[in-house]
Amino acid sequence: MAKYFLDQGHMVVLSGSSDTSTEKAFHELSENHTDRVYSKACDVRAFDQVESLADYALSEMESIDIWINNAGISHTSQASYLISEDTARQVVDVNVHGIINGSKAAINIFKKQGFGALYNMEGLGSDGRIADGLSIYGGSKRFLRYYTRALSKEAKDQDYIVARTSPGMVTTDLLMKDIEKSANPEKTKKIFSILADHVTDVAPWLGQKILTNKKNGVLIAWLTTPKIIIRFLTSSFIKRDPFTK
């Protein structure tokens, strides 16, 4: 999405959980957009770091039109009682506290500048469906939907909007790790080949919808229920390969 926004002429501030990952993304995008892309690493679990990121963005761009909370981590697919305390805490800290911190930082800015749009990224579990072995991750995403809808209600009659995006299954590093960690990688990959999409297909679509949306409380979803049904019904004669592009 950052690439799409830059291609459309917008300024973008990138943030990752480490200096290494953030700088890598910055260098990849700055080759063609040297004067419109900025970056700053941030641990979303700490509000002071998120607030520092927001201040940095304002210092470079003067205002923030769109803020997207996309930080999220998963855990190995296994029964909940086997998930370590450290792993459970880390997933909740990033996926729950990270969303709270990012949303708070963004809304504080929107209230001061009198405009803005906040988007929180949904994931597996947001709609209440339960996937075996992903109790903590799915629960954190279920929280995200409730929390974002509550923020949307608070934003009613305000000068900013709050909405949700749902990319479905995208072949990012996170998804590939889920395949590797699954009990049956080949079976999992076969299912993902039906449902997953390449990031270069999903990201521009989401970006375009975000840029044109003016409504509070909406859900911008790529992988809808009708699309899922059609893909399974046609999977025997339409072969998809979302893992290469």
Side-chain angles (χ1 to χ4, degrees):
M1 283 193 289
K3 182 180 184 303
Y4 175 80
F5 293 142
L6 288 167
D7 288 343
Q8 302 307 304
H10 300 282
M11 300 172 70
V12 172
V13 175
L14 304 166
S15 184
S17 59
S18 70
D19 289 333
T20 301
S21 62
T22 304
E23 289 174 6
K24 181 177 183 293
F26 170 78
H27 288 305
E28 289 178 358
L29 291 172
S30 62
E31 290 182 2
N32 298 318
H33 308 284
T34 54
D35 59 337
R36 287 186 287 108
V37 58
Y38 307 91
S39 67
K40 180 178 176 62
C42 170
D43 184 345
V44 298
R45 299 172 297 180
F47 180 71
D48 61 335
Q49 290 198 33
V50 180
E51 194 171 39
S52 177
L53 171 65
D55 291 340
Y56 169 73
L58 285 175
S59 71
E60 298 293 348
M61 303 191 299
E62 297 184 357
S63 66
I64 298 175
D65 299 289
I66 297 169
W67 180 293
I68 301 174
N69 284 319
N70 185 44
I73 59 173
S74 187
H75 53 79
T76 302
S77 179
Q78 57 184 328
S80 60
Y81 63 86
L82 295 175
I83 299 173
S84 70
E85 181 182 356
D86 287 343
T87 297
R89 181 181 292 109
Q90 187 176 19
V91 171
V92 171
D93 280 350
V94 173
N95 297 5
V96 175
H97 294 143
I99 287 293
I100 294 173
N101 291 336
S103 299
K104 180 179 178 180
I107 291 173
N108 282 340
I109 289 171
F110 296 160
K111 295 283 287 184
K112 291 177 181 178
Q113 65 186 21
F115 60 90
L118 168 66
Y119 290 89
N120 288 336
M121 190 74 69
E122 291 197 346
L124 189 149
S126 291
D127 61 0
R129 282 182 285 184
I130 298 173
D132 292 341
L134 292 175
S135 57
I136 308 299
Y137 174 79
S140 71
K141 288 299 183 178
R142 185 61 170 165
F143 164 82
L144 184 147
R145 174 171 286 196
Y146 177 96
Y147 178 67
T148 308
R149 290 179 68 182
L151 294 182
S152 299
K153 189 173 182 180
E154 292 176 5
K156 184 180 179 182
D157 300 324
Q158 298 294 314
D159 294 324
Y160 64 92
I161 65 172
V162 179
R164 295 168 285 138
T165 59
S166 177
M169 292 185 178
V170 183
T171 52
T172 59
D173 291 341
L174 181 64
L175 186 75
M176 300 309 291
K177 288 178 181 177
D178 286 344
I179 295 175
E180 294 172 4
K181 294 176 182 177
S182 66
N184 190 332
E186 286 301 316
K187 182 179 179 181
T188 302
K189 188 173 183 178
K190 184 177 181 180
I191 295 174
F192 282 9
S193 68
I194 297 173
L195 296 177
D197 291 279
H198 198 273
V199 65
T200 54
D201 293 323
V202 180
W205 184 88
L206 288 176
Q208 189 272 334
K209 294 294 183 181
I210 287 172
L211 287 180
T212 57
N213 177 56
K214 303 299 180 184
K215 295 182 179 179
N216 179 53
V218 300
L219 169 62
I220 300 174
W222 166 269
L223 188 62
T224 60
T225 298
K227 187 180 288 187
I228 292 173
I229 294 173
I230 291 173
R231 287 190 179 182
F232 273 109
L233 290 175
T234 60
S235 62
S236 60
F237 54 88
I238 296 180
K239 302 302 178 183
R240 305 177 67 252
D241 183 11
F243 305 103
T244 59
K245 192 69 174 179

Short mmCIF file of all heavy atoms in Angstrom, two decimals, residues 16 25 27 34 39 67 70 82 91 112 118 120 131 160 199 204 223 237 243:
data_model
loop_
_atom_site.label_atom_id
_atom_site.label_comp_id
_atom_site.label_asym_id
_atom_site.label_seq_id
_atom_site.Cartn_x
_atom_site.Cartn_y
_atom_site.Cartn_z
N GLY A 16 8.46 0.09 10.90
CA GLY A 16 8.56 -1.33 11.18
C GLY A 16 9.00 -1.52 12.62
O GLY A 16 9.29 -0.56 13.33
N ALA A 25 12.73 -1.49 3.92
CA ALA A 25 11.55 -1.03 3.19
C ALA A 25 11.76 0.38 2.65
O ALA A 25 11.36 0.69 1.51
CB ALA A 25 10.33 -1.07 4.11
N HIS A 27 14.61 1.88 1.77
CA HIS A 27 15.52 1.89 0.63
C HIS A 27 14.86 1.33 -0.63
O HIS A 27 15.11 1.82 -1.73
CB HIS A 27 16.78 1.11 0.96
CG HIS A 27 17.68 1.81 1.94
ND1 HIS A 27 18.17 3.09 1.73
CD2 HIS A 27 18.17 1.42 3.15
CE1 HIS A 27 18.91 3.46 2.74
NE2 HIS A 27 18.94 2.47 3.63
N THR A 34 12.33 9.47 -3.83
CA THR A 34 13.31 9.95 -2.84
C THR A 34 12.81 11.11 -1.98
O THR A 34 13.21 11.24 -0.83
CB THR A 34 14.61 10.41 -3.55
OG1 THR A 34 14.26 11.37 -4.56
CG2 THR A 34 15.30 9.22 -4.19
N SER A 39 10.85 7.29 7.04
CA SER A 39 10.72 6.07 7.86
C SER A 39 11.24 6.29 9.27
O SER A 39 12.15 7.10 9.49
CB SER A 39 11.47 4.90 7.20
OG SER A 39 12.86 5.13 7.21
N TRP A 67 -3.98 7.27 8.64
CA TRP A 67 -3.13 6.48 9.54
C TRP A 67 -3.61 5.03 9.45
O TRP A 67 -4.79 4.75 9.66
CB TRP A 67 -3.25 7.00 10.97
CG TRP A 67 -2.42 6.26 11.99
CD1 TRP A 67 -2.58 4.97 12.40
CD2 TRP A 67 -1.30 6.78 12.74
NE1 TRP A 67 -1.64 4.64 13.35
CE2 TRP A 67 -0.84 5.74 13.58
CE3 TRP A 67 -0.67 8.01 12.79
CZ2 TRP A 67 0.22 5.90 14.47
CZ3 TRP A 67 0.39 8.17 13.66
CH2 TRP A 67 0.83 7.13 14.48
N ASN A 70 -1.30 -1.58 10.94
CA ASN A 70 -1.15 -2.87 10.27
C ASN A 70 -0.26 -3.83 11.04
O ASN A 70 -0.09 -4.98 10.65
CB ASN A 70 -0.58 -2.64 8.86
CG ASN A 70 -0.51 -3.91 8.05
OD1 ASN A 70 -1.45 -4.70 8.04
ND2 ASN A 70 0.60 -4.13 7.37
N LEU A 82 -0.73 -25.13 25.12
CA LEU A 82 0.66 -25.35 24.76
C LEU A 82 1.40 -24.06 24.41
O LEU A 82 2.62 -24.05 24.29
CB LEU A 82 0.75 -26.31 23.56
CG LEU A 82 0.24 -27.74 23.80
CD1 LEU A 82 0.26 -28.53 22.50
CD2 LEU A 82 1.09 -28.44 24.87
N VAL A 91 1.93 -11.65 21.55
CA VAL A 91 0.86 -11.51 20.56
C VAL A 91 -0.18 -10.49 21.02
O VAL A 91 -0.60 -9.62 20.25
CB VAL A 91 0.18 -12.87 20.29
CG1 VAL A 91 -1.07 -12.69 19.42
CG2 VAL A 91 1.15 -13.83 19.60
N LYS A 112 -6.86 17.52 16.79
CA LYS A 112 -6.19 18.83 16.76
C LYS A 112 -6.24 19.48 15.39
O LYS A 112 -6.45 20.68 15.27
CB LYS A 112 -4.74 18.66 17.21
CG LYS A 112 -4.57 18.30 18.67
CD LYS A 112 -3.11 18.08 19.02
CE LYS A 112 -2.94 17.70 20.48
NZ LYS A 112 -1.51 17.43 20.82
N LEU A 118 -8.61 6.96 10.12
CA LEU A 118 -7.89 5.87 10.77
C LEU A 118 -8.41 4.54 10.24
O LEU A 118 -9.62 4.32 10.18
CB LEU A 118 -8.10 5.93 12.29
CG LEU A 118 -7.66 4.71 13.11
CD1 LEU A 118 -6.15 4.53 13.05
CD2 LEU A 118 -8.15 4.83 14.56
N ASN A 120 -7.86 0.31 10.75
CA ASN A 120 -7.28 -0.81 11.46
C ASN A 120 -7.45 -2.08 10.63
O ASN A 120 -8.52 -2.33 10.08
CB ASN A 120 -7.94 -0.98 12.83
CG ASN A 120 -7.54 0.11 13.80
OD1 ASN A 120 -6.48 0.73 13.65
ND2 ASN A 120 -8.37 0.37 14.80
N ALA A 131 -10.42 -20.76 14.19
CA ALA A 131 -9.49 -21.64 13.49
C ALA A 131 -8.70 -22.43 14.52
O ALA A 131 -8.20 -21.87 15.49
CB ALA A 131 -8.55 -20.82 12.61
N TYR A 160 -13.28 13.42 11.88
CA TYR A 160 -12.42 12.34 11.39
C TYR A 160 -13.26 11.07 11.26
O TYR A 160 -14.39 11.00 11.78
CB TYR A 160 -11.25 12.11 12.35
CG TYR A 160 -11.66 11.63 13.73
CD1 TYR A 160 -11.73 10.27 14.02
CD2 TYR A 160 -11.97 12.54 14.74
CE1 TYR A 160 -12.11 9.82 15.28
CE2 TYR A 160 -12.34 12.11 16.00
CZ TYR A 160 -12.42 10.74 16.27
OH TYR A 160 -12.80 10.31 17.51
N VAL A 199 0.34 -10.07 -2.79
CA VAL A 199 0.26 -8.73 -2.21
C VAL A 199 0.15 -7.64 -3.28
O VAL A 199 -0.50 -6.61 -3.06
CB VAL A 199 1.49 -8.47 -1.30
CG1 VAL A 199 2.78 -8.45 -2.12
CG2 VAL A 199 1.32 -7.17 -0.52
N PRO A 204 -2.79 -2.60 -3.90
CA PRO A 204 -3.29 -1.45 -4.67
C PRO A 204 -4.80 -1.29 -4.58
O PRO A 204 -5.30 -0.16 -4.54
CB PRO A 204 -2.85 -1.77 -6.11
CG PRO A 204 -1.70 -2.70 -5.96
CD PRO A 204 -2.04 -3.54 -4.77
N LEU A 223 -11.45 -10.22 0.41
CA LEU A 223 -11.90 -11.60 0.29
C LEU A 223 -13.27 -11.75 0.96
O LEU A 223 -13.38 -12.07 2.14
CB LEU A 223 -10.89 -12.55 0.93
CG LEU A 223 -11.13 -14.06 0.71
CD1 LEU A 223 -11.07 -14.40 -0.77
CD2 LEU A 223 -10.11 -14.88 1.49
N PHE A 237 -10.96 -26.70 -11.68
CA PHE A 237 -10.57 -26.41 -13.07
C PHE A 237 -9.90 -25.04 -13.25
O PHE A 237 -9.41 -24.73 -14.33
CB PHE A 237 -11.77 -26.54 -14.02
CG PHE A 237 -12.96 -25.72 -13.63
CD1 PHE A 237 -13.10 -24.41 -14.05
CD2 PHE A 237 -13.96 -26.26 -12.83
CE1 PHE A 237 -14.20 -23.66 -13.70
CE2 PHE A 237 -15.07 -25.51 -12.47
CZ PHE A 237 -15.20 -24.21 -12.90
N PHE A 243 1.62 -17.68 -4.87
CA PHE A 243 2.93 -17.68 -4.22
C PHE A 243 4.04 -17.15 -5.12
O PHE A 243 5.13 -16.86 -4.67
CB PHE A 243 3.29 -19.08 -3.72
CG PHE A 243 2.22 -19.67 -2.83
CD1 PHE A 243 1.34 -20.62 -3.31
CD2 PHE A 243 2.09 -19.24 -1.53
CE1 PHE A 243 0.34 -21.13 -2.50
CE2 PHE A 243 1.11 -19.76 -0.69
CZ PHE A 243 0.23 -20.71 -1.18
#
